[in-house]
Amino acid sequence: MTWPESVSRRLAVGAALTAIAGGMAGWQTPFSGIVLMLDAALAALLVGLSVRRIRWLRLAAFNLLPIFLFLAVVETVLLRPDRVVSKAFGDAMTRPDRSLGYFGVPDASGGLRLVMDDAVLAEGHYHTDAVGRRRTPEGDWPSVAVLGCSMAFGQLLDDAATLPWRLGELSGRRVFNLAVPGYGAHEPLAMLEDDGRWRELTDAAPVELVLYLAIDDHVKRTALLAPWEPLYAPHYRIAGDSLVRGGVAGRLLGFKLLGRLLPNTTLFIRKALFSRGRNVDDRRALRLYLAVVEAMRKRVEAAGARFVVLFYDSTPESTVLIEALRRQGETVVLVSSLLAEPLDNCRYVIPYDSHPAAGVWREAVPHLLERLALSPGRADEAGREECAGGLGRTE
């Protein structure tokens, strides 16, 4: 072996080991995929140039070279910035949670800003309490718990403009905002199943009403198709006629491993899969979602509380999902039925975003309270202790 061949082979091995080590370490910089693919391309090139006697290995190396270069180009293209971007500021608002996948950071202060070029389209300031819940006003007992995703959390809204805050403000009840951006129906169910965690999140107080704000995308999220799901997210599946909680989902494991090597490409693939087709067309995911919502209701009702689905019916496919929920016995209230104008009215939408504007809850909550027949609670501690029903009731 000549010295150029020896050097090139050593360089090839070094480049390959660097690529593998980088992938195993899980580089999280935006350029990690580009670096790794260029490194792998260099390894393939050097192997192809140095190996002469093993023809098949030489051909394989030269065939892999354009593939690695192509993937590096794809990663570069996917890094192009969008005109409309969301920019977080202040503290991080969520952190990993082994029971729920992720939950709010206690005593955090931050927010999100929607920017188009240099213009700010919307901005929300967020504050969490000592448990990690988004802040709501103090109120009387028995309390109300609001479950859901960013729609219920109040993405791009100030604390006082969110659904839970408005509910507490107008009803006089203590309302807990247990919604977290990105949640489906599986995280709320996991929350309800963990008695200790539920008592912590509701201050060990009686909960009379659990309000779950649902959207179409919760079907795919509950099937773990959302690109942001952590590896240890709650995983449910249907076994026979029963809903069971499983371990790590194979789909998530595969995506996480691939995401270590190609973060941008993997994210693009997952987003494409997530947005492909209508939620209601995936019969398996739809069946799972309905089973999870039913399990939520049974859990709440077994504790003597009410369970109501507040559905944000903003898409044509909402009708199919709403009918399916009602067929299985869910109490469903449509957000559109609480408003004077269609949900796509300019008063109700944030420009270039799908989240509800402050006008939605300002107008809808008074009608929602009437629909729920939610009477004022009791402020005294005796009333809190004597409340007969509700999740977390004092024995």
Side-chain angles (χ1 to χ4, degrees):
M1 180 187 299
T2 63
W3 71 264
E5 291 179 338
S6 176
V7 171
S8 63
R9 286 189 181 184
R10 289 177 182 178
L11 288 174
V13 172
L17 290 176
T18 302
I20 294 172
M24 295 299 291
W27 293 350
Q28 296 301 314
T29 66
F31 301 99
S32 59
I34 300 173
V35 172
L36 289 172
M37 288 305 104
L38 289 177
D39 206 2
L42 173 62
L45 176 63
L46 293 175
V47 168
L49 292 175
S50 62
V51 177
R52 294 181 179 179
R53 296 179 181 177
I54 309 177
R55 186 169 180 272
W56 66 267
L57 183 59
R58 183 183 178 90
L59 290 174
F62 279 128
N63 283 320
L64 286 173
L65 175 62
I67 295 175
F68 290 136
L69 290 176
F70 170 75
L71 290 174
V73 171
V74 170
E75 289 282 291
T76 306
V77 171
L78 290 175
L79 278 176
R80 291 183 305 175
D82 296 325
R83 288 192 64 198
V84 180
V85 295
S86 297
K87 297 182 178 180
F89 58 87
D91 299 332
M93 299 308 294
T94 60
R95 66 180 182 183
D97 185 290
R98 288 294 172 182
S99 174
L100 306 175
Y102 59 99
F103 193 71
V105 176
D107 297 317
S109 177
L112 193 67
R113 189 176 291 122
L114 188 67
V115 179
M116 181 175 182
D117 298 330
D118 294 326
V120 177
L121 303 176
E123 183 174 290
H125 295 259
Y126 310 157
H127 302 86
T128 60
D129 59 20
V131 183
R133 306 166 298 204
R134 189 159 186 192
R135 290 191 179 276
T136 52
E138 293 297 327
D140 303 334
W141 312 95
S143 58
V144 176
V146 178
L147 307 176
C149 60
S150 57
M151 311 291 276
F153 174 85
Q155 193 87 308
L156 292 168
L157 300 178
D158 291 338
D159 296 335
T162 63
L163 166 64
W165 186 290
R166 291 286 291 164
L167 279 173
E169 186 177 51
L170 296 184
S171 70
R173 298 292 189 92
R174 181 70 169 101
V175 177
F176 299 110
N177 188 343
L178 305 184
V180 180
Y183 271 14
H186 51 307
E187 289 98 347
L189 176 57
M191 197 181 293
L192 287 163
E193 289 179 339
D194 189 337
D195 292 332
R197 191 62 181 279
W198 181 261
R199 288 179 63 82
E200 176 192 21
L201 294 175
T202 58
D203 295 344
V207 177
E208 181 188 43
L209 170 68
V210 174
L211 187 67
Y212 162 55
L213 180 57
I215 61 173
D216 299 330
D217 276 350
H218 285 183
V219 175
K220 289 182 177 178
R221 294 183 191 183
T222 304
L224 301 183
L225 288 173
W228 54 83
E229 286 285 1
L231 187 60
Y232 39 83
H235 173 217
Y236 292 91
R237 57 189 175 85
I238 295 177
D241 294 328
S242 303
L243 179 70
V244 297
R245 183 167 178 176
V248 175
R251 180 191 294 114
L252 273 183
L253 180 61
F255 274 127
K256 290 300 179 183
L257 292 176
L258 182 60
R260 293 291 182 90
L261 294 173
L262 293 168
N264 301 293
T265 300
T266 306
L267 183 62
F268 175 79
I269 293 171
R270 295 187 69 179
K271 285 183 176 179
L273 289 173
F274 184 67
S275 60
R276 177 176 56 87
R278 303 188 309 164
N279 288 279
V280 294
D281 290 337
D282 190 336
R283 295 299 176 183
R284 184 177 178 182
L286 179 58
R287 184 186 175 207
L288 175 64
Y289 173 75
L290 293 172
V292 168
V293 174
E294 183 180 37
M296 290 169 60
R297 170 172 52 82
K298 289 181 177 179
R299 185 85 181 182
V300 171
E301 290 179 346
R306 283 194 296 160
F307 179 77
V308 175
V309 177
L310 179 63
F311 203 101
Y312 199 82
D313 51 323
S314 58
T315 68
E317 68 178 296
S318 298
T319 304
V320 178
L321 189 51
I322 292 164
E323 291 176 352
L325 287 167
R326 284 176 170 163
R327 278 197 302 270
Q328 76 172 19
E330 311 301 338
T331 299
V332 182
V333 177
L334 307 184
V335 173
S336 63
S337 71
L338 307 172
L339 302 172
E341 302 292 338
L343 272 170
D344 59 0
N345 185 278
C346 61
R347 299 203 311 267
Y348 306 146
V349 297
I350 296 175
Y352 298 96
D353 191 81
S354 59
H355 294 92
V360 172
W361 308 127
R362 186 166 52 244
E363 185 176 323
V365 170
H367 301 294
L368 178 62
L369 291 175
E370 292 179 7
R371 194 79 62 87
L372 297 174
L374 199 62
S375 59
R378 288 185 284 184
D380 58 288
E381 287 300 314
R384 175 176 174 176
E385 295 296 325
E386 294 170 3
C387 181
L391 287 165
R393 62 184 181 276
T394 304
E395 300 296 340

